[in-house]
Amino acid sequence: MAQCVQSVQELIPDSFVPCVAALCSDEAERLTRLNHLSFAELLKPFSRLTSEVHMRDPNNQLHVIKNLKIAVSNIITQPPQPGAIRKLLNDVVSGSQPAEGLVANVITAGDYDLNISATTPWFESYRETFLQSMPASDHEFLNHYLACMLVTSSSEAEPMEQFSKLSHEQHRIQHNNDYSYPKWFIPNTLKYYVLLHDVSAGDEQRAESIYEEMKQKYGTQGCYLLKINSRTPNRASDEQIPDPWSQYLQKNSIQNQESYEDGPCTITSNKNSHSNLLSLDGLDNEVKVDGLPNNFRTHPLQLDPSGDSSNSIDGPDHVKSASSLHETKKANAGIIHGACLTLTDHDRIRQFIQEFTFRGLLPHIEKTIRQLNDQLISRKGLSRSLFSATKKWFSGSKVPEKSINELKNTSGLLYPPEAPELQIRKMADLCFLVQHYDLAYSCYHTAKKDFLNDQAMLYAAGALEMAAVSAFLQPGAPRPYPAHYMDTAIQTYRDICKNMVLAERCVLLSAEILKSQSKYSEAAALLIRLTSEDSDLRSALLLEQAAHCFINMKSPMVRKYAFHMILAGHRFSKAGQKKHALRCYCQAMQVYKGKGWSLAEDHINFTIGRQSYTLRQLDNAVSAFRHILINESKQSAAQQGAFLREYLYVYKNVSQLSPDGPLPQLPLPYINSSATRVFFGHDRRPADGEKQAATHVSLDQEYDSESSQQWRELEEHVVAVVNRGVLPSNFHPTEYCLNSYSDNSRFPLAVVEEPVTVEVAFRNPLKVPLLLTDLSLLWKFQPKDVSGKENEEVKELVKGEPEMIGTEVVSEFLINSEESKVARLKLFPHHIGELHILGVVYNLGTIQGSMAVDGIGALPGCHTGKHSLSMSVRGRQDLEIQGPRLNNTKEEKTSIKYGPDRRLDPIITEEMPLLESEAGVKEFHIVQVSSSSKHWKLQKSVNLSENKDARLANREKGKFCFKAIRCKEEEVATQSSEKYTFADIIFGNEQIISSASPCADFFYRSLSSELKKPQAQSSLHTEKQSIEDTMRLIQKCNEVDLNIVVLWKAYVVEDSKQLILEGQHHVVLRTIGKEAFSYPQKQEPPEMELLKFFRPENTTVSSRPSVEQLSNLIKTSLHYPESFSHPFHQKSLCLVPVTLLLSNCSKADVDVIVDLRHKTTSPEALEIHGSFTWLGQTQYKLHLKSQELHSLQLKACFVHTGVYNLGTPRVFAKLSDQVTVFETSQQSSMPALIIINNV
């Protein structure tokens, strides 16, 4: 638990003090009201004795009482309502918050450095108010009235008669059956008569005369003359009179139920001193009985009957009460209590309390203890049989005995007031109130046994509770604290008696005792046990204290602390304590932040955001929601959408508070600043025939270091030629496109009236789309004029008349979920000067209806566009690019320094000449596709019809699919081995003979260059030659050697004229499954490897072909209907004919084995495709000759409908003259799916 102002040895005696009633006449009450105080409140600051007092115990031993305090309150005849007490406790907690600027404790536990509040004053205020507001009960006497002060004024016409009336009234309240409340300790209550005299207005001689008469009638120890002043305070004087009532009344006016003028029902509590009392002073003067004020009719904690009868603080009541209490606090802020009293009056009141305690209260208590002790001694002297008879006689109308289970269910017996067991309990309580803990423990222990024997569980629990506390408070600690007593009492109160108030008192006391003994684990377990759904406020406070127990252990349990603080924050929120809920979540966030618990962190930030928004801490709310969005969230799309909508809603409210303020930073989308590219000049227009800058550079090209180096060298060569072979020292290569690879250490040059294009790389980390509207660049410009003066202009958008910098605005920019996308934004400089591109500005929103979320409802926006925008907010993001790390000097190498990156800071220069050209290819026409090969030829076009125009527009891609077949044997035989077969697929209106010029000429020239390449020498060994022949046969299974010739026409615009260019591309397809290109592909340089030394080995040609080569010997394909219908209700088995085609791709004989026994065992495959059976022969052995095609008829059997994969046969092959068998590669091909339907 957290540290407390009071130790447990101070807390418990202050929580259980002698209670004294006050019954005042109207005139006496009027006199005290002149100081804005009731009589009971008048005494409150002076109710603690300033010196030790002594009394004799039953053994005539002197007993010392230290710091004794008494509680004086007006008589009330109605018990407080539970709902009103809950409301009071809720107000007490809400009114106590951490002090501003309070320095928190720093606790270091492992990797955690936590700032934790050392004290929890809201818990202490709750605990003290709770203990003081407990209603009196019949099973204990700790808060029963021991005495009654009868107060009248010396200005009364007949003061002695008034005393008589007050005495009779007190007797009637105590002994009349019409009043069950308040509770009185013993029938013979001490009556103490007080004559109140106004020194400034009354007749002092008359007051003394009346006092003498009082002493004659009531004795010198039974009455007192209290003199006070009712003078009007003199504000002009320099006398400073202290106000000891402020700490009880003004400071805690949040607890005041109503002002004195409306009805002085005041509830006060002081959480900063040891004199905390609950004043329950009902002073209703409207109804009178026998001329006496009926100030005991209604309890000040009585709820307004016209209000809500639910007595719940978890609904809107707490909000209403907070506002009303705030108004009460404002109304009472200017009231000064006790302003008419002097310092002498303070001393008189203090002396009055001393006299009452010394001469009246303590002698009365001492006498009562002796009488009860004599009864106890006489009881012990009787025999058991006689005692039983006496007990039966004393018990009177006690209920008959019941079974143990019945007793536990009904909370046990109910004793009459005169029962012997209750007399022991009275003596124990009296001893406890005067700090005689040894005797109190003995009496509680004795009473406990009697109550348990009678199965009076409520009484037994009370005796166990106070016996445990008495044992702990005994001086010298003769016995250890019996925690099991408290555990039994708590269980009995909670489970058997169903009294959570008494169970809570036990927990509060026991937890403080355990904490004082550094038993934090036991204290935490005890606090957690009492959390329940019946009271969110109590559960929140106990969970918070349990969290403090975990963090205060010898080995702090940080994660348990954080977890229970989260639970406490949740319960605080349910109880309407928003500030305390926010504080708990913020303290727990210290543990969860940055530890990888993203879901927990999201929950905490989301709750902090909502609570902060409720408390109008809008900046904190925005910050919390921002943290959710900038982390890599693992939430679902719907939850991310809820977070985003909450953020937009809160942010919109923040921006409305300061509409003219600077644009704040938005968290989304992510911007990769280093990937920002800047292009200077006009866009390329390759197909529209207009003039354009004569440059190859554009933003559509990827960076190519080799190409860039070639252009740089070419530019250097041109400049050197112009400068007579010398390259100027100040020469820098022209950079049209700046990126992360270019040299950005210098300010780039941009030309007036030529656009500056900035490519910004966005990334949406969320699973919901983001819509950016009115997207543009944010910039700062310093223009220069002829006089050399500079003026700074910062603009966001172009407005009104043409300005120095024009800004392009993108109306809509949609980024889909988890998408990376670039936006190209333009500026148009119209004046020379220095331009600084700062960032981007936009409206952030999301598409309405793109997600189902449970967040705050969307507000209608004013946006109209292609997408429906649910809500948007205006903000900015800065482009901050870090330059390259410096590594030249020794200082730079030994430290981390970065150079400048000035790609976003161009200098706008005056207009310069621009070399332009006018050319562009508008479209390509594919006229014809031809083939040339010794063994293959194109047969037809698959995806495009022949004799139709095949066009490719600018930057368009096309896909053409053709079917090729082998040349016929006779056709090949008639031709020599040096001749090729040409075939044409025509897309135009006329055929170009590909076997003639120019196609054949180009083909044969390229073929001759291939033949000139050095060929491998043939082997001289017969055995080696045989192996190579075998390898060659197998390799030819995948070889095609098919030459594709694409004939095209290009429509080009040049010098405002349209030209038609014709051309051809040749592509050689050598192997099935490998891509072929019409131009050589750029090869990536191999990675550098360490130099290795090894002993050379004999390099021999592999004697066996590879697995990949052998797997292509046989090609297979299945032929079957895509779907098959069968009447399963007539025939349970469905048979489907399937044809398996086997093709020998080699020119050698091949032995083939077809195995149908293989079944799919993969659970994933079985889940998707059902299981079936092949009928008939399960294995086939075949011999296929060179390039033979064989058909195998199979039957598949199905027993129910579904989708099945027929591609289960395993095919193995080997060359006839080889031994090793290899499985064909068709097993990894696409599944052969068939659908079986029921007719």
Side-chain angles (χ1 to χ4, degrees):
M1 298 175 69
Q3 298 176 11
C4 297
V5 175
Q6 287 182 309
S7 66
V8 66
Q9 287 80 5
E10 297 171 332
L11 169 66
I12 296 176
D14 275 4
S15 303
F16 300 97
V17 296
C19 295
V20 179
L23 190 59
C24 305
S25 67
D26 284 350
E27 188 62 25
E29 201 62 48
R30 184 196 63 78
L31 180 58
T32 58
R33 285 290 189 85
L34 296 175
N35 287 283
H36 300 289
L37 296 166
S38 69
F39 180 77
E41 290 170 342
L42 181 70
L43 307 181
K44 191 164 292 186
F46 313 100
S47 59
R48 184 184 299 277
L49 301 185
T50 57
S51 61
E52 295 181 354
V53 291
H54 304 82
M55 62 174 287
R56 297 275 178 182
D57 63 12
N59 295 325
N60 208 31
Q61 298 294 320
L62 193 64
H63 172 64
V64 180
I65 307 174
K66 299 180 179 179
N67 297 320
L68 179 64
K69 185 178 74 171
I70 63 174
V72 181
S73 59
N74 287 357
I75 293 179
I76 52 175
T77 57
Q78 294 293 333
Q81 293 186 3
I85 294 179
R86 289 198 300 268
K87 183 172 179 294
L88 169 65
L89 295 174
N90 190 77
D91 294 339
V92 167
V93 174
S94 62
S96 179
Q97 300 292 336
E100 293 291 337
L102 181 66
V103 179
N105 281 4
V106 178
I107 296 179
T108 301
D111 298 335
Y112 301 94
D113 291 324
L114 307 178
N115 291 324
I116 299 175
S117 56
T119 60
T120 51
W122 46 91
F123 171 72
E124 295 180 52
S125 297
Y126 170 89
R127 182 184 59 198
E128 292 163 3
T129 305
F130 169 82
L131 293 174
Q132 299 297 338
S133 63
M134 289 190 66
S137 174
D138 290 328
H139 79 287
E140 64 181 16
F141 306 92
L142 291 166
N143 54 355
H144 290 201
Y145 284 134
L146 278 165
C148 181
M149 293 182 179
L150 305 176
V151 185
T152 187
S153 172
S154 61
S155 60
E156 297 272 2
E158 295 293 338
M160 298 303 293
E161 184 179 346
Q162 278 296 107
F163 279 128
S164 179
K165 289 181 179 180
L166 291 174
S167 177
H168 283 90
E169 185 68 16
Q170 186 277 331
H171 187 273
R172 185 174 66 88
I173 293 171
Q174 180 176 354
H175 298 287
N176 195 327
N177 293 331
D178 295 338
Y179 298 97
S180 61
Y181 203 87
K183 305 292 184 181
W184 302 89
F185 209 100
I186 57 175
N188 187 20
T189 302
L190 170 66
K191 295 179 182 178
Y192 197 78
Y193 300 86
V194 180
L195 182 64
L196 199 61
H197 176 63
D198 185 358
V199 177
S200 58
D203 186 349
E204 189 168 354
Q205 186 175 0
R206 182 172 184 269
E208 291 291 347
S209 174
I210 297 171
Y211 180 52
E212 288 297 328
E213 187 177 354
M214 290 170 59
K215 288 191 290 185
Q216 292 294 328
K217 185 174 182 179
Y218 306 120
T220 56
Q221 296 185 351
C223 58
Y224 193 84
L225 173 60
L226 177 59
K227 299 179 181 180
I228 61 173
N229 275 284
S230 61
R231 64 179 179 84
T232 303
N234 185 8
R235 297 295 181 187
S237 65
D238 295 333
E239 183 182 11
Q240 296 294 329
I241 304 298
D243 181 9
W245 295 273
S246 60
Q247 56 183 328
Y248 299 96
L249 305 176
Q250 274 191 346
K251 193 170 184 180
N252 292 316
S253 61
I254 189 172
Q255 302 172 31
N256 293 345
Q257 299 298 300
E258 49 186 322
S259 64
Y260 284 113
E261 289 74 9
D262 297 330
C265 299
T266 306
I267 299 164
T268 59
S269 171
N270 174 29
K271 59 178 179 289
N272 294 328
S273 77
H274 304 311
S275 304
N276 299 338
L277 292 175
L278 182 71
S279 177
L280 308 174
D281 303 331
L283 302 177
D284 188 357
N285 294 328
E286 296 181 4
V287 182
K288 298 182 181 180
V289 179
D290 298 331
L292 298 176
N294 188 6
N295 54 8
F296 45 80
R297 289 291 185 190
T298 306
H299 197 283
L301 290 183
Q302 182 98 8
L303 285 176
D304 184 1
S306 63
D308 187 7
S309 60
S310 64
N311 297 341
S312 172
I313 64 168
D314 297 332
D317 284 355
H318 65 270
V319 180
K320 178 182 176 183
S321 67
S323 60
S324 63
L325 290 172
H326 178 69
E327 295 299 324
T328 303
K329 186 174 181 179
K330 285 179 60 177
N332 293 339
I335 297 178
I336 301 177
H337 301 89
C340 302
L341 303 178
T342 63
L343 291 177
T344 305
D345 294 329
H346 293 186
D347 294 336
R348 288 170 179 162
I349 299 172
R350 191 176 292 109
Q351 182 64 30
F352 162 64
I353 294 295
Q354 297 270 358
E355 289 293 321
F356 166 73
T357 306
F358 290 166
R359 297 178 178 273
L361 183 61
L362 286 181
H364 176 69
I365 293 176
E366 183 178 336
K367 176 183 176 183
T368 305
I369 291 177
R370 287 182 181 275
Q371 291 175 350
L372 294 171
N373 183 67
D374 292 342
Q375 295 179 17
L376 179 60
I377 292 175
S378 62
R379 175 191 175 191
K380 287 182 178 180
L382 296 175
S383 65
R384 184 64 187 171
S385 59
L386 179 60
F387 169 70
S388 299
T390 308
K391 178 177 174 183
K392 184 180 294 185
W393 181 78
F394 268 109
S395 60
S397 60
K398 187 161 61 175
V399 297
E401 295 184 0
K402 302 180 181 180
S403 66
I404 293 178
N405 291 332
E406 275 190 299
L407 291 174
K408 288 186 176 179
N409 290 335
T410 60
S411 301
L413 301 173
L414 296 175
Y415 294 98
E418 65 274 8
E421 294 85 353
L422 291 189
Q423 307 309 312
I424 302 175
R425 175 63 199 250
K426 282 184 179 180
M427 179 176 175
D429 287 348
L430 269 180
C431 294
F432 189 88
L433 291 174
V434 294
Q435 305 174 13
H436 202 315
Y437 300 117
D438 293 334
L439 186 55
Y441 175 79
S442 177
C443 294
Y444 284 130
H445 197 270
T446 302
K448 179 253 309 182
K449 293 179 180 179
D450 293 340
F451 293 141
L452 288 176
N453 289 334
D454 291 341
Q455 287 293 307
M457 303 310 296
L458 178 62
Y459 296 88
L464 284 168
E465 174 191 5
M466 299 312 298
V469 177
S470 300
F472 170 74
L473 292 176
Q474 283 181 353
R479 55 179 58 87
Y481 169 61
H484 60 287
Y485 278 16
M486 275 294 195
D487 294 339
T488 305
I490 294 170
Q491 184 178 1
T492 304
Y493 282 142
R494 184 185 61 187
D495 301 334
I496 299 176
C497 305
K498 308 299 182 185
N499 193 323
M500 291 299 293
V501 175
L502 294 173
E504 182 177 356
R505 184 180 70 180
C506 285
V507 168
L508 293 176
L509 297 177
S510 185
E512 283 294 335
I513 293 172
L514 292 172
K515 183 190 77 170
S516 68
Q517 298 175 341
S518 298
K519 296 179 180 179
Y520 290 105
S521 179
E522 293 86 345
L526 191 64
L527 292 163
I528 295 171
R529 274 176 54 192
L530 205 66
T531 58
S532 60
E533 293 300 321
D534 65 314
S535 174
D536 290 316
L537 182 62
R538 180 187 69 234
S539 299
L541 291 164
L542 297 185
L543 285 169
E544 183 183 14
Q545 293 305 308
H548 280 280
C549 288
F550 289 124
I551 204 66
N552 285 321
M553 289 181 178
K554 188 174 182 181
S555 298
M557 305 178 75
V558 180
R559 284 180 290 181
K560 276 198 171 184
Y561 161 79
F563 178 70
H564 285 84
M565 287 299 283
I566 291 294
L567 296 179
H570 175 66
R571 299 305 291 270
F572 271 129
S573 180
K574 291 180 66 178
Q577 299 284 346
K578 303 300 183 183
K579 289 184 179 180
H580 288 296
L582 177 60
R583 175 184 50 76
C584 289
Y585 276 100
C586 290
Q587 290 203 348
M589 190 60 175
Q590 300 177 85
V591 176
Y592 289 103
K593 187 175 183 180
K595 300 298 181 182
W597 298 331
S598 60
L599 296 180
E601 202 168 339
D602 287 349
H603 167 75
I604 297 172
N605 273 317
F606 182 75
T607 308
I608 290 176
R610 279 203 159 181
Q611 298 289 4
S612 299
Y613 178 78
T614 303
L615 296 170
R616 307 308 296 168
Q617 300 177 9
L618 299 183
D619 291 338
N620 292 340
V622 170
S623 177
F625 284 119
R626 178 187 177 91
H627 276 93
I628 301 178
L629 299 177
I630 63 176
N631 293 331
E632 294 293 339
S633 176
K634 297 179 182 178
Q635 303 282 358
S636 63
Q639 193 60 53
Q640 288 183 0
F643 290 158
L644 178 59
R645 288 162 63 88
E646 292 271 359
Y647 171 78
L648 295 177
Y649 182 82
V650 173
Y651 185 91
K652 198 174 190 69
N653 282 270
V654 174
S655 59
Q656 288 174 353
L657 295 179
S658 55
D660 299 329
L663 287 175
Q665 297 286 335
L666 291 175
L668 292 174
Y670 290 176
I671 293 181
N672 185 2
S673 296
S674 62
T676 303
R677 298 196 297 169
V678 184
F679 180 75
F680 301 101
H682 297 280
D683 293 337
R684 299 183 67 192
R685 298 177 293 275
D688 56 11
E690 298 179 3
K691 290 186 177 182
Q692 59 179 312
T695 175
H696 74 293
V697 181
S698 73
L699 288 172
D700 297 324
Q701 294 176 333
E702 295 293 332
Y703 177 77
D704 187 350
S705 58
E706 182 178 349
S707 174
S708 298
Q709 181 62 28
Q710 292 176 352
W711 282 100
R712 188 178 296 109
E713 293 175 355
L714 180 60
E715 183 179 7
E716 290 177 355
H717 180 70
V718 171
V719 173
V721 170
V722 172
N723 290 276
R724 300 179 182 179
V726 179
L727 192 66
S729 59
N730 61 347
F731 168 77
H732 299 294
T734 303
E735 297 282 359
Y736 284 103
C737 183
L738 302 180
N739 49 42
S740 57
Y741 302 102
S742 57
D743 182 8
N744 304 321
S745 59
R746 294 177 295 274
F747 294 99
L749 297 180
V751 181
V752 168
E753 305 302 336
E754 292 187 16
V756 177
T757 306
V758 179
E759 182 183 84
V760 183
F762 292 103
R763 181 171 72 88
N764 179 9
L766 304 182
K767 298 174 185 176
V768 294
L770 296 176
L771 183 60
L772 313 185
T773 57
D774 296 338
L775 172 64
S776 63
L777 291 171
L778 187 65
W779 47 267
K780 179 175 68 175
F781 184 65
Q782 294 179 343
K784 293 184 178 180
D785 52 22
V786 181
S787 62
K789 294 182 180 179
E790 295 185 0
N791 299 309
E792 185 174 291
E793 180 183 5
V794 180
K795 289 291 182 182
E796 173 191 334
L797 299 173
V798 175
K799 298 177 182 177
E801 298 181 0
E803 301 179 356
M804 295 184 177
I805 302 292
T807 308
E808 180 188 56
V809 180
V810 178
S811 60
E812 285 187 353
F813 187 76
L814 178 65
I815 311 176
N816 290 319
S817 61
E818 299 180 333
E819 181 187 14
S820 296
K821 192 173 182 181
V822 297
R824 293 176 181 173
L825 308 173
K826 293 183 180 180
L827 296 177
F828 302 92
H830 305 301
H831 198 281
I832 63 172
E834 297 179 6
L835 177 64
H836 302 279
I837 301 171
L838 306 177
V840 291
V841 61
Y842 54 92
N843 297 320
L844 173 63
T846 187
I847 301 176
Q848 190 172 13
S850 63
M851 56 200 170
V853 297
D854 56 356
I856 298 174
L859 296 180
C862 58
H863 172 76
T864 57
K866 185 167 59 175
H867 301 96
S868 179
L869 193 64
S870 62
M871 184 191 305
S872 66
V873 294
R874 189 72 171 166
R876 62 183 285 182
Q877 280 202 67
D878 294 338
L879 293 173
E880 299 176 351
I881 305 176
Q882 189 179 65
R885 182 175 176 179
L886 302 178
N887 198 30
N888 298 322
T889 64
K890 180 179 179 180
E891 181 184 358
E892 292 173 351
K893 291 179 180 179
T894 55
S895 61
I896 300 177
K897 291 185 177 181
Y898 295 91
D901 190 304
R902 297 192 172 99
R903 73 182 87 167
L904 296 177
D905 303 317
I907 297 176
I908 311 300
T909 63
E910 296 179 350
E911 294 187 61
M912 293 189 291
L914 177 65
L915 179 61
E916 295 181 329
S917 63
E918 183 184 359
V921 178
K922 297 186 68 175
E923 62 182 12
F924 274 92
H925 286 225
I926 308 300
V927 178
Q928 179 176 307
V929 177
S930 302
S931 66
S932 174
S933 174
K934 292 181 180 180
H935 309 288
W936 298 86
K937 65 177 181 180
L938 294 180
Q939 183 189 34
K940 64 178 181 178
S941 173
V942 177
N943 64 334
L944 292 177
S945 300
E946 298 182 30
N947 301 323
K948 285 191 176 180
D949 212 359
R951 300 182 181 183
L952 290 178
N954 178 33
R955 300 183 183 277
E956 182 182 0
K957 294 181 180 180
K959 182 178 288 186
F960 299 81
C961 184
F962 302 95
K963 181 179 180 181
I965 60 173
R966 285 186 179 272
C967 299
K968 297 181 180 178
E969 292 292 336
E970 17 333 317
E971 185 179 349
V972 175
T974 57
Q975 301 179 16
S976 64
S977 59
E978 297 297 330
K979 293 189 177 181
Y980 291 80
T981 299
F982 289 85
D984 303 325
I985 304 296
I986 305 168
F987 292 103
N989 297 325
E990 58 177 327
Q991 179 180 3
I992 300 174
I993 307 300
S994 57
S995 59
S997 180
C999 297
D1001 295 343
F1002 187 83
F1003 168 70
Y1004 285 118
R1005 282 200 302 271
S1006 61
L1007 186 63
S1008 61
S1009 63
E1010 289 288 331
L1011 294 176
K1012 292 179 182 179
K1013 294 182 179 179
Q1015 303 295 326
Q1017 296 182 354
S1018 60
S1019 174
L1020 300 176
H1021 303 286
T1022 306
E1023 180 182 0
K1024 193 172 182 181
Q1025 181 65 41
S1026 175
I1027 295 173
E1028 290 182 354
D1029 291 342
T1030 304
M1031 294 283 291
R1032 184 63 185 159
L1033 283 174
I1034 296 173
Q1035 290 174 358
K1036 282 189 174 182
C1037 293
N1038 276 349
E1039 288 184 356
V1040 180
D1041 289 332
L1042 177 64
N1043 297 273
I1044 302 296
V1045 180
V1046 181
L1047 302 173
W1048 51 263
K1049 289 183 180 180
Y1051 293 82
V1052 180
V1053 177
E1054 184 174 343
D1055 295 331
S1056 301
K1057 297 179 181 179
Q1058 180 170 303
L1059 305 177
I1060 300 178
L1061 304 180
E1062 297 184 356
Q1064 57 182 312
H1065 279 77
H1066 287 236
V1067 183
V1068 181
L1069 301 179
R1070 301 190 182 278
T1071 308
I1072 294 176
K1074 291 187 178 180
E1075 291 184 340
F1077 300 89
S1078 62
Y1079 57 91
Q1081 295 298 297
K1082 180 180 179 182
Q1083 299 293 329
E1084 294 293 334
E1087 295 183 2
M1088 298 291 293
E1089 295 184 357
L1090 296 176
L1091 184 63
K1092 297 181 179 179
F1093 297 92
F1094 57 92
R1095 181 178 298 173
E1097 299 178 357
N1098 294 329
T1099 57
T1100 58
V1101 180
S1102 175
S1103 60
R1104 293 186 182 277
S1106 66
V1107 176
E1108 180 183 0
Q1109 293 169 339
L1110 284 170
S1111 66
N1112 292 316
L1113 281 174
I1114 300 296
K1115 305 292 184 184
T1116 64
S1117 63
L1118 288 168
H1119 293 260
Y1120 56 91
E1122 292 184 358
S1123 63
F1124 192 87
S1125 299
H1126 176 78
F1128 282 97
H1129 61 282
Q1130 298 177 1
K1131 274 188 173 184
S1132 59
L1133 298 180
C1134 173
L1135 303 180
V1136 179
V1138 179
T1139 301
L1140 175 62
L1141 292 179
L1142 302 164
S1143 176
N1144 181 4
C1145 298
S1146 69
K1147 293 186 177 182
D1149 292 352
V1150 177
D1151 293 332
V1152 179
I1153 298 176
V1154 179
D1155 189 358
L1156 301 179
R1157 294 172 297 180
H1158 172 68
K1159 289 187 178 181
T1160 302
T1161 59
S1162 170
E1164 294 83 0
L1166 288 176
E1167 184 180 351
I1168 300 173
H1169 312 123
S1171 178
F1172 69 98
T1173 304
W1174 295 102
L1175 294 184
Q1177 188 175 339
T1178 58
Q1179 192 177 72
Y1180 297 85
K1181 294 184 179 180
L1182 307 173
H1183 179 80
L1184 299 184
K1185 294 183 179 180
S1186 171
Q1187 298 184 345
E1188 180 183 353
L1189 182 66
H1190 184 82
S1191 176
L1192 195 62
Q1193 300 301 321
L1194 307 175
K1195 283 188 178 180
C1197 179
F1198 307 90
V1199 294
H1200 51 76
T1201 60
V1203 179
Y1204 299 88
N1205 179 17
L1206 297 177
T1208 61
R1210 302 181 69 181
V1211 180
F1212 302 88
K1214 73 177 183 68
L1215 296 175
S1216 297
D1217 57 350
Q1218 297 289 329
V1219 179
T1220 308
V1221 179
F1222 291 92
E1223 186 173 2
T1224 63
S1225 62
Q1226 272 66 37
Q1227 294 299 319
S1228 61
S1229 62
M1230 294 294 292
L1233 301 181
I1234 184 173
I1235 302 174
I1236 304 298
N1237 300 314
N1238 188 16
V1239 178

